[in-house]
Amino acid sequence: MQPPFHRFEEFISLPPADINLVRGWAANPRRIARHQPIRREGDPVNGVFFLLAGWAASSVILRDGQRQVIKVHVPGDMLGFPSLVLSSAGETLEAITDASVCPISNAAIGRVIEQHPRLTVALLLNAQKERVALTQALTWIGSASALARMAAFLLDLYDRLEAAGLVTDGAFDFPLTQQFIGDLLGLTAVHVNRTLKRLDATGYIDRKKGRMQILDFEGLRSVSPNLPPKPAGHAAWARIGGKS
């Protein structure tokens, strides 16, 4: 199974029927223009979305009107899963770039749970991986310096893009504005600008218009507040008695 379907087999191998089902989800993608909503906070929850191409974001609007970006999504991610337990969407899903998403209805998710146990395991373990990632991000914002937050974010983003086959020679597309990064990391746009310039000056990264290259991984790791735990892959399923 090739990217962007890589995450479905990260923790468990899937039989042909499951693989065909996943590929079927991608048969009729919905095109979303840059900066347009995929689903707004408060909308009815009719299902989830598979991000086939492009970048997207999850965010919430606070009472004072400020936006808190929760996560940057890259191809292969499932969007909107947390809101399945809500009567209305708890987050806004928005395209950062032109994107292609594949809507998956509530009924389709229900059929997966009833008829495709291995694919259900894949979705469950990926949901737990997302929870770990969110916990890590909360530690960055709650106690780390701006430099540490940025380093951790870039390392995590690199790992996710590399898994999706979207990194070449350590470089990747980077369509995020400084304001957007600030909304994600809890920083002002000015502080983001200063922090990125500092990483440039140290030789850890190299930025060109719309592109980012990591030049010194060890340097970035040295200023990161923590290193993200490595997913156990298929071993996670084996530990709880699963068969490969």
Side-chain angles (χ1 to χ4, degrees):
M1 189 176 287
Q2 297 299 315
F5 303 106
H6 57 287
R7 290 191 60 180
F8 291 103
E9 289 199 297
E10 181 175 359
F11 296 101
I12 185 172
S13 58
L14 298 178
D18 287 4
I19 293 173
N20 289 336
L21 176 62
V22 170
R23 292 192 181 280
W25 288 342
N28 296 296
R30 180 174 139 203
R31 308 292 181 182
I32 307 293
R34 177 174 175 252
H35 297 327
Q36 292 303 303
I38 300 166
R39 184 178 68 194
R40 295 185 186 277
E41 187 176 349
D43 283 353
V45 179
N46 297 318
V48 298
F49 304 88
F50 174 68
L51 184 57
L52 185 64
W55 291 38
S58 299
S59 64
V60 296
I61 301 298
L62 306 179
R63 283 179 178 266
D64 62 3
Q66 293 188 74
R67 177 180 67 166
Q68 176 65 57
V69 177
I70 302 168
K71 188 174 180 67
V72 174
H73 299 283
V74 299
D77 285 0
M78 296 289 282
L79 315 182
F81 244 99
S83 286
L84 278 177
V85 299
L86 304 176
S87 57
S88 58
E91 75 284 277
T92 291
L93 305 174
E94 179 184 357
I96 297 173
T97 66
D98 290 345
S100 294
V101 301
C102 308
I104 306 168
S105 69
N106 292 335
I109 295 297
R111 287 193 295 272
V112 167
I113 295 170
E114 290 180 349
Q115 301 171 16
H116 299 268
R118 293 183 73 84
L119 183 51
T120 299
V121 169
L123 295 175
L124 171 65
L125 293 180
N126 264 290
Q128 295 309 303
K129 180 181 177 181
E130 290 292 317
R131 182 175 180 179
V132 170
L134 180 59
T135 300
Q136 291 288 308
L138 286 173
T139 65
W140 307 342
I141 295 174
S143 58
S145 67
L147 188 68
R149 295 182 208 184
M150 188 69 70
F153 168 63
L154 292 176
L155 288 169
D156 175 70
L157 183 62
Y158 177 91
D159 286 345
R160 294 169 58 214
L161 290 170
E162 184 180 43
L166 298 174
V167 174
T168 303
D169 297 327
F172 49 88
D173 288 340
F174 194 71
L176 307 179
T177 66
Q178 292 178 2
Q179 181 62 57
F180 180 93
I181 297 170
D183 290 346
L184 174 68
L185 299 182
L187 303 169
T188 65
V190 171
H191 211 162
V192 169
N193 183 47
R194 289 174 181 166
T195 304
L196 288 172
K197 284 184 176 179
R198 184 175 173 188
L199 290 174
D200 274 326
T202 60
Y204 293 167
I205 65 171
D206 180 46
R207 288 182 297 151
K208 294 180 173 63
K209 187 173 182 179
R211 294 283 289 177
M212 170 78 69
Q213 184 174 18
I214 297 181
L215 301 175
D216 185 350
F217 287 93
E218 289 308 312
L220 270 187
R221 292 187 184 106
S222 72
V223 297
S224 176
N226 51 24
L227 296 179
K230 288 188 175 295
H234 286 211
W237 175 229
R239 279 203 307 266
I240 55 178
K243 296 180 180 179
S244 61

